[in-house]
Amino acid sequence: MSTLPSSATCTPGHKTIRKITCLGSGFVGGPTSAVTAFKSNVVVTVVDIDPARIAAWQSDSLPIYERGLHNVVSAARNGIKLDQDSPKSVSIQWKNGRISDIMDHNEFARRPNLFFSTDVDNAIEDADLIFVCVNTPTKRNGVGKGSAADLGFVEAATRNIAKVATENKIVVEKSTVPCRTAQYIREILSANAQPGVRFDVLSNPEFLAEGTAIRDLLYPDRIIIGSMPTPAGRQAAASLADVYAQWVPRGRIITMNLWSSELSKLAANAMLAQRISSVNALSAICEATGADVDEVSYACGLDSRIGPKMLKAGPGFGGSCFQKDIFNIVYLSESLHLYEVADYWRTIINMNDYQKQRFTQRIITCLFHNLTDKKIAVLGFAFKKDTSDTRESPAITLVRNFVAERAQVAIYDPQVKEQQIWTELVNDGGDLKNLKQSVCICDTAYAACAGADAVVIVTEWDEFSNKTDLAIPHTTIPPCPLREVSPNRSSRPNAVSSPNELADKLARTSFLRSPPSGSKTENRECAPMASIGERFDSLDLAAKRIVPLERERLDWARIAKDMRKPKFVFDGRGMLDAPMLESLGFRVEAIGRASAVSRDLHD
């Protein structure tokens, strides 16, 4: 008889987790480990076989960019020291979505509990629980090429755990994997375990959105923990649940069987990608009919059954998860001889590819069917704003298409490093020597746009917009104030601070909260930040929004002066005020809106 997933509750006899090792320091392992250390009393060690990557995590120049990540890493990795000369307490003020004053200096102190190392074997042996956060790319050759997940890194990590561990361990599968991968992990561990060593395998998929990963970790919609339906499996799940319960309400920590947990991650990403492809398909109809895709999305989003999220048209989705996870479902369906199911999910990928090609063709058509020797400024290379992740970014395809049309391409992104851009373009099949004859990477947007025939907005970085209100545009449903919830009572976005420079930054970061009071911290090996904010229960955080670092907006009048005429702007993200740009002499073409010529006819 099947049972519904349940909220995590205390299970007698389960182990208390004091040390966690994370295998892998990428976009999942790094942020997950940092927030886990920051919000709990657990010692977390992140290991990787790449010395340069670990060195970057130990420095002030982190290997990845996520909004808020640097502050979290600094607090957990470096700790916060007391300043004996500071006042014992000051007031708190809430301004523009952030806490502006420092609170109770004397009560904020913690020792470091986040560490980075290349000593993988020692970290495995020392851990009570191991997060497996290694890469699971789509296979490039062999059976399942182009759709199946390559589990080579997962298997290698699993075999190493079995070889090294001399005591019982809980192994947590966090990498995105096909359904029933946990069974393979269990078999490998069981076959290679040292005498007397038992492994309990859990599935604990991450539901992070790059660009908001830190917020997603601090305020998760749910934590899914899959386990075997045995006493040992349930005890292992309860041990992991206790770690999360130090900052996540227990009602949001859901336990289920291993296979449901694995499939839930793939299903969630497939459904989100489905929404994006659906609105992108509608954008094509809007361009042909004179409708506005933002207005259509707004109207649809007002329906409570649909909701407003993930209904923004663009040049196509990117990132490491959506396409890979859909391909996993396609391969799984075909393996189970469910060919109609596979075809259904494959159409989402087809629509995504079509959107990128359609946007390219619109640019070529508007530029008089010829890009030869014309300069195209590409603003944004990350697949979305507030992250440096470029995997599967639409910009890769667009640049490839422009180069094929013999255009000169200038790229600017405020957070993506130059070498990363070259790597992506080469991995896409380009030759570096030939690419450098057609592509240049610029330090500023102005340098990229100087002398350009067209500007193409690919990533929705706020600095590119000329709208007066980015937070609540007229075509977006305004966010409702939401009160945060703590495990013990209604919670609040408490900032943490100390008199030193780091804590002053933390005090101005509204989404960093102390561990909730009442969490079990006895016999802990590090001291987390005190939960002084229980007295500020009434503070609300509008839609859990993280306040970004302010960057200077582009001066589009300056860009207009330096471009060739006619001046084209192709808005791939619907983030520009077209009439304002048109007053500067631009011709604005936006996804989901009729072209300027068609618009004149409809008017």
Coordinates of all heavy atoms in Angstrom, one line a residue, residues 449-508:
C449 N 29.3 48.5 -27.4 CA 28.3 49.1 -28.2 C 28.9 50.2 -29.1 O 28.3 50.6 -30.1 CB 27.3 49.8 -27.4 SG 26.3 48.6 -26.4
A450 N 30.2 50.6 -28.9 CA 30.8 51.7 -29.7 C 30.9 51.2 -31.2 O 31.5 50.2 -31.5 CB 32.1 52.0 -29.2
G451 N 30.3 52.0 -32.1 CA 30.4 51.7 -33.5 C 29.5 50.5 -33.9 O 29.6 50.0 -35.0
A452 N 28.6 50.0 -33.0 CA 27.8 48.8 -33.3 C 26.6 49.2 -34.3 O 26.1 50.3 -34.2 CB 27.3 48.2 -32.0
D453 N 26.3 48.2 -35.1 CA 25.1 48.4 -35.9 C 23.8 47.9 -35.1 O 22.7 48.4 -35.4 CB 25.2 47.5 -37.1 CG 26.3 47.9 -38.0 OD1 27.4 47.5 -37.9 OD2 26.0 48.7 -38.9
A454 N 24.0 47.1 -34.1 CA 22.9 46.6 -33.3 C 23.4 46.2 -31.9 O 24.5 45.7 -31.8 CB 22.2 45.4 -34.0
V455 N 22.5 46.4 -31.0 CA 22.7 45.9 -29.6 C 21.7 44.8 -29.3 O 20.5 45.0 -29.6 CB 22.5 47.1 -28.6 CG1 22.7 46.5 -27.2 CG2 23.6 48.1 -28.9
V456 N 22.1 43.7 -28.8 CA 21.2 42.6 -28.5 C 21.3 42.3 -27.0 O 22.3 42.0 -26.4 CB 21.6 41.3 -29.3 CG1 20.7 40.2 -29.0 CG2 21.7 41.6 -30.7
I457 N 20.1 42.5 -26.3 CA 20.1 42.2 -24.9 C 19.8 40.7 -24.7 O 18.7 40.2 -25.1 CB 18.9 43.0 -24.2 CG1 19.1 44.5 -24.5 CG2 18.9 42.7 -22.7 CD1 20.3 45.1 -23.8
V458 N 20.7 40.0 -24.1 CA 20.5 38.5 -24.0 C 20.3 38.2 -22.5 O 19.5 37.3 -22.2 CB 21.8 37.8 -24.5 CG1 21.6 36.3 -24.4 CG2 22.1 38.2 -26.0
T459 N 21.0 38.8 -21.6 CA 20.8 38.6 -20.2 C 20.1 39.8 -19.5 O 20.5 40.9 -19.8 CB 22.1 38.3 -19.5 OG1 22.8 37.3 -20.2 CG2 21.9 37.8 -18.1
E460 N 19.2 39.5 -18.6 CA 18.4 40.6 -18.0 C 19.0 41.3 -16.8 O 18.4 41.6 -15.8 CB 17.0 40.1 -17.6 CG 16.9 39.1 -16.5 CD 17.3 37.7 -16.8 OE1 18.0 37.5 -17.8 OE2 16.8 36.8 -16.1
W461 N 20.3 41.6 -17.0 CA 21.0 42.4 -15.9 C 20.3 43.7 -15.7 O 20.0 44.4 -16.7 CB 22.5 42.6 -16.2 CG 23.3 41.3 -16.2 CD1 23.8 40.6 -17.2 CD2 23.8 40.6 -15.0 NE1 24.5 39.5 -16.8 CE2 24.5 39.5 -15.4 CE3 23.7 40.9 -13.6 CZ2 25.1 38.7 -14.5 CZ3 24.3 40.0 -12.7 CH2 25.0 38.9 -13.2
D462 N 20.0 44.1 -14.5 CA 19.3 45.3 -14.2 C 20.0 46.5 -14.8 O 19.3 47.5 -15.2 CB 19.1 45.5 -12.7 CG 18.2 44.5 -12.1 OD1 17.5 43.8 -12.8 OD2 18.2 44.4 -10.8
E463 N 21.3 46.6 -14.9 CA 22.0 47.7 -15.3 C 21.7 48.0 -16.8 O 21.9 49.2 -17.3 CB 23.5 47.6 -15.2 CG 24.1 46.5 -16.0 CD 25.6 46.3 -15.6 OE1 25.9 45.6 -14.7 OE2 26.4 46.9 -16.3
F464 N 21.2 47.0 -17.6 CA 20.9 47.3 -19.0 C 19.5 48.0 -19.2 O 19.3 48.5 -20.2 CB 20.8 45.9 -19.7 CG 22.1 45.2 -19.7 CD1 22.2 43.8 -19.9 CD2 23.3 45.8 -19.5 CE1 23.3 43.1 -19.9 CE2 24.5 45.1 -19.5 CZ 24.5 43.7 -19.7
S465 N 18.7 47.9 -18.2 CA 17.3 48.4 -18.4 C 17.3 50.0 -18.3 O 18.1 50.6 -17.5 CB 16.4 47.8 -17.3 OG 15.1 48.4 -17.4
N466 N 16.3 50.5 -19.0 CA 16.1 52.0 -18.9 C 14.7 52.3 -18.3 O 14.3 53.4 -18.3 CB 16.2 52.7 -20.2 CG 15.1 52.2 -21.2 OD1 14.6 51.1 -21.1 ND2 14.7 53.1 -22.1
K467 N 14.1 51.2 -17.7 CA 12.8 51.4 -17.1 C 13.0 52.1 -15.7 O 14.0 51.8 -15.0 CB 12.0 50.1 -16.9 CG 11.5 49.6 -18.3 CD 10.7 48.3 -18.1 CE 10.2 47.8 -19.4 NZ 9.4 46.6 -19.3
T468 N 12.0 52.8 -15.3 CA 12.2 53.5 -14.0 C 11.9 52.6 -12.8 O 12.4 52.9 -11.7 CB 11.2 54.7 -13.9 OG1 9.9 54.3 -14.2 CG2 11.6 55.7 -15.0
D469 N 11.2 51.6 -13.0 CA 10.9 50.7 -11.9 C 11.1 49.2 -12.3 O 10.3 48.6 -13.0 CB 9.4 50.9 -11.4 CG 9.1 50.1 -10.2 OD1 10.0 49.3 -9.7 OD2 8.0 50.3 -9.6
L470 N 12.2 48.7 -11.9 CA 12.5 47.3 -12.3 C 11.8 46.3 -11.4 O 11.4 45.2 -11.8 CB 14.0 47.0 -12.2 CG 14.9 47.5 -13.3 CD1 16.4 47.3 -12.9 CD2 14.6 46.9 -14.6
A471 N 11.6 46.7 -10.2 CA 11.0 45.7 -9.2 C 9.6 45.4 -9.6 O 9.2 44.2 -9.5 CB 11.1 46.3 -7.8
I472 N 8.8 46.3 -10.0 CA 7.4 46.0 -10.2 C 7.0 46.7 -11.5 O 6.3 47.8 -11.5 CB 6.5 46.5 -9.1 CG1 7.0 46.0 -7.8 CG2 5.0 46.0 -9.3 CD1 6.2 46.5 -6.6
P473 N 7.4 46.2 -12.7 CA 6.9 46.8 -14.0 C 5.4 46.6 -14.1 O 4.8 45.7 -13.5 CB 7.7 45.9 -15.0 CG 8.1 44.7 -14.3 CD 8.2 45.0 -12.9
H474 N 4.8 47.4 -15.0 CA 3.4 47.4 -15.1 C 2.8 46.1 -15.6 O 1.7 45.8 -15.4 CB 2.9 48.5 -16.0 CG 3.1 48.2 -17.4 ND1 4.3 48.3 -18.1 CD2 2.2 47.8 -18.4 CE1 4.1 48.0 -19.4 NE2 2.9 47.7 -19.6
T475 N 3.7 45.3 -16.2 CA 3.2 44.0 -16.7 C 3.6 42.8 -15.8 O 3.5 41.7 -16.2 CB 3.8 43.7 -18.1 OG1 5.2 43.9 -18.1 CG2 3.2 44.7 -19.1
T476 N 4.0 43.1 -14.6 CA 4.3 42.0 -13.7 C 3.4 42.1 -12.4 O 3.1 43.2 -11.9 CB 5.8 42.2 -13.2 OG1 6.6 42.1 -14.4 CG2 6.1 41.0 -12.2
I477 N 2.9 41.0 -12.0 CA 2.1 41.0 -10.8 C 2.9 41.5 -9.6 O 3.9 40.9 -9.3 CB 1.5 39.7 -10.5 CG1 0.5 39.3 -11.7 CG2 0.7 39.6 -9.2 CD1 -0.1 37.9 -11.6
P478 N 2.5 42.5 -8.9 CA 3.2 43.0 -7.7 C 3.4 42.0 -6.7 O 2.5 41.2 -6.4 CB 2.4 44.2 -7.2 CG 1.5 44.6 -8.4 CD 1.2 43.3 -9.1
P479 N 4.6 41.8 -6.1 CA 4.8 40.8 -5.0 C 4.0 41.2 -3.8 O 3.9 42.4 -3.4 CB 6.3 40.9 -4.8 CG 6.7 42.3 -5.2 CD 5.8 42.6 -6.4
C480 N 3.4 40.2 -3.2 CA 2.7 40.4 -1.9 C 3.6 40.3 -0.7 O 4.5 39.4 -0.7 CB 1.6 39.4 -1.8 SG 0.4 39.4 -3.1
P481 N 3.5 41.1 0.3 CA 4.3 41.0 1.5 C 4.1 39.6 2.1 O 2.9 39.2 2.3 CB 3.8 42.1 2.4 CG 3.2 43.1 1.5 CD 2.6 42.2 0.4
L482 N 5.2 38.9 2.4 CA 5.1 37.5 3.0 C 5.8 37.5 4.3 O 7.0 38.0 4.4 CB 5.7 36.5 2.0 CG 5.0 36.3 0.7 CD1 5.8 35.3 -0.1 CD2 3.6 35.9 0.9
R483 N 5.2 37.0 5.3 CA 5.9 36.9 6.6 C 6.7 35.6 6.6 O 6.2 34.5 6.3 CB 4.9 36.9 7.7 CG 5.5 37.0 9.1 CD 4.5 36.9 10.2 NE 3.5 38.0 10.1 CZ 3.7 39.2 10.6 NH1 4.8 39.5 11.2 NH2 2.8 40.1 10.4
E484 N 8.0 35.7 6.9 CA 8.8 34.5 7.0 C 8.3 33.6 8.2 O 7.8 34.0 9.1 CB 10.3 34.8 7.2 CG 10.8 35.6 6.0 CD 10.7 34.9 4.7 OE1 10.7 33.6 4.7 OE2 10.6 35.5 3.7
V485 N 8.6 32.3 8.0 CA 8.2 31.3 9.0 C 9.4 30.6 9.6 O 10.3 30.1 8.8 CB 7.2 30.3 8.4 CG1 6.8 29.3 9.5 CG2 6.0 31.0 7.8
S486 N 9.5 30.5 10.9 CA 10.6 29.8 11.5 C 10.1 28.5 12.0 O 8.9 28.3 12.1 CB 11.2 30.6 12.7 OG 10.4 30.4 13.9
P487 N 11.0 27.5 12.4 CA 10.5 26.2 12.9 C 9.7 26.3 14.1 O 8.8 25.5 14.4 CB 11.8 25.5 13.1 CG 12.8 26.1 12.3 CD 12.4 27.6 12.3
N488 N 9.9 27.3 14.9 CA 9.2 27.4 16.2 C 8.1 28.4 16.3 O 7.2 28.3 17.1 CB 10.2 27.7 17.3 CG 11.4 26.8 17.3 OD1 11.2 25.6 17.3 ND2 12.6 27.3 17.3
R489 N 8.1 29.4 15.5 CA 7.1 30.5 15.5 C 7.3 31.3 14.2 O 8.1 31.0 13.4 CB 7.4 31.4 16.7 CG 8.8 32.0 16.7 CD 9.1 32.7 18.0 NE 8.2 33.8 18.3 CZ 8.4 34.6 19.3 NH1 9.3 34.3 20.2 NH2 7.5 35.6 19.5
S490 N 6.4 32.3 14.0 CA 6.5 33.0 12.8 C 7.9 33.7 12.8 O 8.2 34.3 13.8 CB 5.4 34.1 12.7 OG 5.5 35.0 13.7
S491 N 8.6 33.5 11.7 CA 10.0 34.0 11.7 C 10.1 35.2 10.9 O 9.2 35.7 10.3 CB 10.9 32.9 11.2 OG 10.8 32.7 9.9
R492 N 11.3 35.8 10.9 CA 11.6 37.1 10.3 C 12.9 37.1 9.7 O 13.8 36.4 10.1 CB 11.4 38.2 11.4 CG 12.0 37.9 12.7 CD 11.7 36.7 13.4 NE 13.0 36.2 13.9 CZ 13.4 34.9 13.7 NH1 12.7 34.1 13.0 NH2 14.6 34.5 14.1
P493 N 13.2 38.0 8.8 CA 14.5 38.1 8.1 C 15.5 38.8 9.0 O 15.8 40.0 8.8 CB 14.2 38.9 6.8 CG 13.0 39.7 7.2 CD 12.2 39.0 8.2
N494 N 16.0 38.2 9.9 CA 17.0 38.8 10.8 C 18.4 38.9 10.1 O 18.9 38.0 9.6 CB 17.2 38.0 12.1 CG 15.9 37.8 12.8 OD1 15.1 38.7 12.8 ND2 15.7 36.6 13.5
A495 N 18.9 40.1 10.2 CA 20.3 40.2 9.7 C 21.2 39.9 10.9 O 20.8 39.9 12.0 CB 20.6 41.7 9.3
V496 N 22.5 39.6 10.6 CA 23.5 39.3 11.6 C 24.6 40.3 11.4 O 24.9 40.8 10.3 CB 24.0 37.9 11.5 CG1 22.8 36.9 11.8 CG2 24.5 37.6 10.2
S497 N 25.3 40.6 12.5 CA 26.4 41.5 12.3 C 27.4 41.5 13.5 O 27.2 40.8 14.5 CB 25.8 43.0 12.3 OG 25.2 43.3 13.5
S498 N 28.5 42.1 13.3 CA 29.5 42.4 14.3 C 30.1 43.7 13.9 O 29.9 44.2 12.8 CB 30.5 41.3 14.4 OG 31.5 41.5 13.4
P499 N 30.9 44.3 14.8 CA 31.5 45.6 14.5 C 32.5 45.6 13.3 O 32.8 46.6 12.8 CB 32.1 46.0 15.8 CG 31.4 45.2 16.8 CD 31.1 43.9 16.2
N500 N 33.0 44.4 13.0 CA 34.0 44.4 11.9 C 33.3 44.7 10.6 O 32.1 44.7 10.4 CB 34.8 43.2 11.9 CG 34.0 41.9 11.7 OD1 32.9 42.0 11.1 ND2 34.5 40.8 12.1
E501 N 34.2 44.8 9.6 CA 33.7 45.2 8.2 C 32.8 44.1 7.6 O 31.7 44.4 7.0 CB 34.9 45.4 7.3 CG 34.5 45.8 5.9 CD 35.7 46.0 5.0 OE1 36.8 45.8 5.5 OE2 35.5 46.3 3.8
L502 N 33.1 42.8 7.8 CA 32.3 41.8 7.3 C 30.9 41.8 7.9 O 29.9 41.8 7.1 CB 32.9 40.4 7.6 CG 32.0 39.2 7.4 CD1 31.7 39.1 5.9 CD2 32.7 37.9 7.9
A503 N 30.8 41.9 9.2 CA 29.5 41.9 9.8 C 28.7 43.1 9.4 O 27.5 43.1 9.4 CB 29.7 41.8 11.3
D504 N 29.4 44.3 9.2 CA 28.6 45.4 8.8 C 28.0 45.2 7.4 O 26.8 45.6 7.2 CB 29.6 46.6 8.6 CG 28.9 47.9 8.3 OD1 28.1 48.4 9.1 OD2 29.1 48.4 7.2
K505 N 28.7 44.4 6.6 CA 28.0 44.1 5.3 C 26.9 43.1 5.5 O 25.8 43.2 4.9 CB 29.1 43.4 4.4 CG 30.2 44.3 3.9 CD 31.1 43.6 3.0 CE 32.3 44.5 2.5 NZ 33.2 43.7 1.7
L506 N 27.1 42.2 6.4 CA 26.0 41.2 6.7 C 24.8 41.9 7.3 O 23.7 41.6 7.0 CB 26.5 40.2 7.7 CG 27.5 39.2 7.2 CD1 28.0 38.3 8.3 CD2 27.0 38.4 6.0
A507 N 25.0 43.0 8.1 CA 23.9 43.7 8.7 C 23.1 44.4 7.6 O 21.9 44.7 7.9 CB 24.4 44.7 9.7
R508 N 23.7 44.6 6.5 CA 22.9 45.3 5.4 C 22.4 44.3 4.4 O 22.0 44.7 3.3 CB 23.8 46.3 4.7 CG 24.1 47.5 5.7 CD 25.3 48.4 5.2 NE 25.3 49.6 6.0 CZ 25.7 49.7 7.2 NH1 26.1 48.6 7.9 NH2 25.7 50.8 7.9

